[in-house]
């Protein structure tokens, strides 16, 4: 059993989770949560998808919520890495915003099953775990806000409300996970390019030069 997106572009989701049984259970949980929702999924559902007994699940995860927290933490760490890398990268603000949107959208499209769970099951977390994830989201917000503020300061962007525009940009990118399908007519690369163009137009910036698809 292997789902929750197999290896894409050399990135093997959940490779940081060991041992293999714990990883299989986590992958099964991602698929179940994405399909049925966190609250409608039972530990028996998860164990069955992993080809294991319900008792085996508790060897690796004390609760269903612990599984969700692990999924959410890994996903938000990845999101923060993507946005921070773009914010701290080379180029003018428009080039950095282009890189941020392309890569963030691309991740949400290529890993849309995982992203739906990571982004939309936040309220199911225990209070202490939710607070931890909210802080990671705040840092992601700050990375995009920094790019926009740099663009305004340099005269590249016309953005009267940087915090509100930051929210709009992140919401636009994240929502890709709701609708993207491999059966659709656009690839993750193409969606990333489309959304980058939309965001740069939204902030009044010049379109970034075309990029070759990532491999």
């Amino acid at each position: 059993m292997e789902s929750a997106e197999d290896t894409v572009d050399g990135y093997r989701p959940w490779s940081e989770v060991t041992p293999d049984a714990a990883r299989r259970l986590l992958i099964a949980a991602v698929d179940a949560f994405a399909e049925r929702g966190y609250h409608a999924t039972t530990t028996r559902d998860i164990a069955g998808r992993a080809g294991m007994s319900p008792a085996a699940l508790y060897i690796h995860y004390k609760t269903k919520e612990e599984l969700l927290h692990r999924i959410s933490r890994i996903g938000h760490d990845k999101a923060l890495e993507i946005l921070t890398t773009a914010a701290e990268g080379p180029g003018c603000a428009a080039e950095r915003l282009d890189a941020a949107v392309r890569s963030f959208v691309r991740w949400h499209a290529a890993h849309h099953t995982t992203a739906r769970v990571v982004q939309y099951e936040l309220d199911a977390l225990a209070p202490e775990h939710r607070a931890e994830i909210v802080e990671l989201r705040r840092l992601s917000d700050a990375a995009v806000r920094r790019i926009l503020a740099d663009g305004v300061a340099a005269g590249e962007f016309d953005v009267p409300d940087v915090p509100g525009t930051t929210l709009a940009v992140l919401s636009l990118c994240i929502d890709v996970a709701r609708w993207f399908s491999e059966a659709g007519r656009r690839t993750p690369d193409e969606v990333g390019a489309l959304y980058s163009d939309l965001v740069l137009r939204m902030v009044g910036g010049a379109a970034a030069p075309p990029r070759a698809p990532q491999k």
Side-chain angles (χ1 to χ4, degrees):
M1 187 279 302
E2 192 78 357
S3 186
E5 293 95 34
D6 297 340
T7 301
V8 177
D9 305 326
Y11 169 65
R12 187 184 186 219
W14 320 117
S15 56
E16 57 272 84
V17 179
T18 56
D20 182 66
R23 181 174 181 272
R24 285 167 52 205
L25 285 163
L26 188 141
I27 290 171
V30 170
D31 287 336
F33 294 158
E35 180 183 319
R36 307 187 61 185
Y38 173 81
H39 293 293
T41 298
T42 66
T43 53
R44 185 174 293 277
D45 293 332
I46 296 167
R49 286 172 183 256
M52 301 166 70
S53 70
L57 185 148
Y58 295 109
I59 295 173
H60 303 283
Y61 302 99
K62 292 182 178 132
T63 65
K64 183 175 72 166
E65 193 273 341
E66 183 181 331
L67 259 170
L68 178 63
H69 173 240
R70 184 85 166 109
I71 292 164
S72 190
R73 179 61 199 245
I74 291 172
H76 278 89
D77 281 342
K78 183 64 178 177
L80 179 58
E81 176 192 331
I82 288 169
L83 294 173
T84 301
T85 298
E88 296 176 353
C92 64
E95 290 169 330
R96 286 182 283 134
L97 185 60
D98 170 64
V101 172
R102 281 179 187 256
S103 53
F104 200 49
V105 166
R106 192 171 192 284
W107 187 83
H108 281 80
H111 305 286
H112 55 92
T113 302
T114 295
R116 282 201 303 275
V117 177
V118 167
Q119 298 291 359
Y120 298 116
E121 292 288 1
L122 184 64
D123 289 341
L125 291 169
E128 67 275 15
H129 289 158
R130 189 179 191 281
E132 175 188 310
I133 299 305
V134 166
E135 174 61 14
L136 291 174
R137 291 168 82 99
R138 185 191 69 77
L139 293 172
S140 291
D141 179 283
V144 175
R145 190 179 301 198
R146 185 160 71 250
I147 299 173
L148 293 177
D150 287 348
V152 171
E156 294 180 59
F157 301 156
D158 179 13
V159 179
D161 183 350
V162 169
T165 304
T166 299
L167 177 61
V169 170
L170 287 171
S171 298
L172 187 69
C173 295
I174 288 168
D175 195 61
V176 169
R178 285 188 186 272
W179 60 261
F180 185 84
S181 169
E182 288 84 0
R185 64 188 184 91
R186 286 192 171 98
T187 66
D189 274 324
E190 290 168 340
V191 178
L194 171 64
Y195 274 50
S196 171
D197 181 65
L198 291 173
V199 168
L200 286 168
R201 290 173 187 274
M202 182 170 70
V203 302
R211 295 186 178 192
Q214 296 181 16
K215 296 185 179 179

